[in-house]
Amino acid sequence: MRIQLNGEPLELADGQTVAGLIAQLDLVGRRVAVELNLDIVPRSQHASTVLAEGDRVEVVHAIGGG
């Protein structure tokens, strides 16, 4: 299936979850925020949220500073 990730097309296997996408992006263990079709996906729902053809996903990871 094809989704939009941060404005760019990306091919994924059917049935991919948000958690699987985060793993594929090598962001496991990092503080990330995920927006799916303009709605924030809580971390507790990453594993159960299945992506679908045409979804628009934004992934932002926090960068510390000060």
Side-chain angles (χ1 to χ4, degrees):
M1 78 176 147
R2 176 169 260 180
I3 66 166
Q4 290 285 319
L5 174 64
N6 295 342
E8 299 291 328
L10 179 67
E11 288 286 333
L12 294 175
D14 288 344
Q16 181 74 279
T17 63
V18 170
L21 175 62
I22 290 170
Q24 183 175 329
L25 297 173
D26 206 22
L27 295 174
V28 173
R30 297 191 186 183
R31 295 181 60 183
V32 297
V34 179
E35 181 181 278
L36 174 60
N37 300 323
L38 303 178
D39 292 320
I40 297 294
V41 180
R43 183 180 304 270
S44 63
Q45 294 179 14
H46 286 184
S48 62
T49 301
V50 178
L51 300 170
E53 178 76 29
D55 278 347
R56 293 184 178 274
V57 181
E58 296 288 329
V59 177
V60 179
H61 51 94
I63 299 174

